[in-house]
């Protein structure tokens, strides 16, 4: 059965302040028992605390995070030079999935560069497969730019057939596509989905004043920034349809994430998303 968890990018400050174990104790107390590890140094001290969290708190690790390039010992794992370490840490923490959070923006300069990047990702995916680990790619809105008649996302999916896809429904929406249809499109390759809501915030008083004064350049700066990240269930996305569609697409983990918190505490935000998902009828997925 699929499980709702947390994308740990949200927890990086808490990890730094009180450590992974105490952070994940708070997460588990809310009701989340699955975590995707991201933006935490993967050194021995932190890995040991993650391992302890698995044993003592019953936390599952959905995936660890990787990139293609970098140096040995880096975080995220640099797959071009550090596959053995990445695979060993996956085994230690009980996961068989690694995910790339974003391609380098420099690769978006041309279709040829995206294709070349995808071929390098495929090589890494094949090497990881020899260790029993599957590599996934997480989308942003820029992955739905068209190059040569294809979305960047489709270039990656087609040129790197060994990878899975991690669908982030907020970034799908921000990219101009429908989350449910996108999940249906990539069914069978999607083991992880990011549950992140999409809210239209209030236009600030400064923006309204700029409009009234005729300063349309300043007004547009505020106007375009009203799109916000939101707690799950506090925005406009239809999670009553998205969650079942994600499960139908093959998702094992549905990971709550919110890139900006707008002054709220991370554990309050996670509590709100948890409670809203329970209210929608998904208590059995925690």
């Amino acid at each position: 059965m699929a499980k709702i968890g947390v994308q740990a990018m949200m927890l990086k400050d808490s990890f730094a302040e009180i450590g992974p174990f105490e952070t994940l104790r708070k997460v588990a107390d809310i009701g989340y028992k699955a975590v995707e590890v991201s933006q935490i140094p993967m050194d021995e001290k932190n890995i040991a605390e993650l391992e302890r969290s698995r044993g003592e708190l019953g936390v599952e690790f959905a995936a660890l995070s990787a990139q293609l390039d970098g140096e040995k010992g880096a975080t995220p794992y640099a797959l071009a030079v550090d596959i053995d370490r990445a695979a060993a840490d996956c085994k230690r923490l009980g996961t068989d999935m690694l995910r790339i959070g974003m391609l380098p923006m420099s690769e978006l300069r041309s279709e040829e560069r995206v294709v070349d990047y995808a071929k390098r990702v495929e090589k890494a995916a094949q090497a990881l497969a020899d260790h029993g680990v599957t590599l996934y790619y997480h989308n942003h809105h820029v992955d739905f730019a068209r190059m040569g008649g294809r979305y960047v996302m489709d270039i990656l999916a087609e040129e790197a057939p060994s990878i899975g896809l991690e669908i982030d429904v907020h970034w799908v929406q921000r990219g101009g596509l429908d989350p449910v249809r996108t999940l249906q499109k990539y069914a069978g390759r999607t083991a992880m989905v990011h549950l992140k809501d999409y809210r239209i915030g209030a236009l600030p008083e400064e923006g309204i004043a700029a409009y009234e004064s005729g300063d349309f350049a300043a007004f547009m700066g505020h106007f375009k920034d009203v799109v916000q990240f939101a707690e799950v269930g506090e925005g406009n996305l239809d999670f009553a349809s998205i969650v079942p569609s994600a499960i139908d697409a093959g998702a094992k983990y549905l990971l709550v994430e919110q890139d900006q918190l707008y002054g709220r505490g991370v554990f309050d935000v996670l509590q709100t998303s948890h409670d809203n998902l329970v209210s929608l009828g998904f208590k059995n997925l925690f």
Side-chain angles (χ1 to χ4, degrees):
M1 177 182 290
K3 182 168 287 190
I4 295 175
V6 175
Q7 215 292 338
M9 175 276 292
M10 301 176 66
L11 302 167
K12 60 185 178 183
D13 290 341
S14 182
F15 280 149
E17 290 168 7
I18 63 174
F21 183 81
E22 291 303 326
T23 296
L24 294 182
R25 186 201 297 275
K26 290 176 175 287
V27 169
D29 285 346
I30 294 171
Y32 299 97
K33 291 298 182 70
V35 174
E36 181 179 71
V37 180
S38 178
Q39 299 189 28
I40 171 177
M42 296 304 283
D43 55 29
E44 176 56 32
K45 179 178 182 295
N46 283 338
I47 293 173
E49 287 204 33
L50 294 173
E51 192 173 32
R52 181 187 172 198
S53 301
R54 185 180 175 217
E56 295 185 24
L57 303 175
V59 172
E60 294 180 19
F61 294 104
L64 309 185
S65 296
Q67 58 191 356
L68 275 189
D69 298 313
E71 300 179 356
K72 277 184 174 289
T75 300
Y77 302 98
L79 297 180
V81 296
D82 222 0
I83 277 182
D84 289 345
R85 172 174 159 260
D89 286 350
C90 283
K91 183 176 182 180
R92 183 173 174 182
L93 294 176
T95 181
D96 59 3
M97 296 191 286
L98 268 173
R99 42 88 65 176
I100 292 174
M102 178 187 289
L103 84 172
M105 292 298 98
S106 58
E107 304 297 350
L108 290 173
R109 287 193 170 104
S110 69
E111 179 185 6
E112 290 74 21
R113 291 191 65 157
V114 175
V115 170
D116 179 71
Y117 177 80
K119 292 184 182 299
R120 295 174 59 220
V121 168
E122 174 65 12
K123 182 179 178 181
Q126 291 182 10
L128 283 166
D130 291 340
H131 293 273
V133 176
T134 303
L135 184 61
Y136 288 79
Y137 180 82
H138 166 270
N139 70 275
H140 289 81
H141 56 346
V142 294
D143 293 295
F144 298 105
R146 290 186 181 274
M147 291 186 173
R150 292 186 289 177
Y151 293 130
V152 169
M153 189 75 165
D154 288 333
I155 296 173
L156 294 168
E158 292 164 14
E159 302 292 343
S162 298
I163 66 169
L165 303 174
E166 180 178 54
I167 303 301
D168 185 310
V169 297
H170 172 99
W171 289 116
V172 169
Q173 182 76 21
R174 200 175 282 216
L177 281 74
D178 175 70
V180 168
R181 291 184 180 180
T182 300
L183 287 164
Q184 292 168 345
K185 175 180 177 178
Y186 296 120
R189 291 186 73 169
T190 303
M192 295 178 286
V193 171
H194 280 187
L195 304 183
K196 180 191 303 178
D197 216 335
Y198 182 104
R199 174 172 59 212
I200 304 300
L203 189 66
E205 179 60 35
E206 296 91 331
I208 296 171
Y211 178 84
E212 291 177 339
S213 70
D215 186 350
F216 291 108
F219 164 71
M220 286 302 298
H222 293 286
F223 187 72
K224 67 181 177 61
D225 287 337
V226 296
V227 173
Q228 295 182 349
F229 305 97
E231 298 85 346
V232 175
E234 298 295 315
N236 295 342
L237 294 187
D238 180 11
F239 285 98
S241 299
I242 287 170
V243 171
S245 296
I247 294 170
D248 288 345
K252 299 176 183 178
Y253 293 99
L254 312 173
L255 301 156
V256 171
E257 184 183 35
Q258 188 173 334
D259 295 38
Q260 296 182 43
L261 306 184
Y262 308 102
R264 295 196 70 196
V266 65
F267 299 107
D268 291 336
V269 163
L270 288 172
Q271 185 74 62
T272 298
S273 290
H274 171 276
D275 293 349
N276 287 344
L277 285 162
V278 169
S279 295
L280 286 169
F282 301 123
K283 182 178 181 179
N284 64 317
L285 299 181
F286 284 95

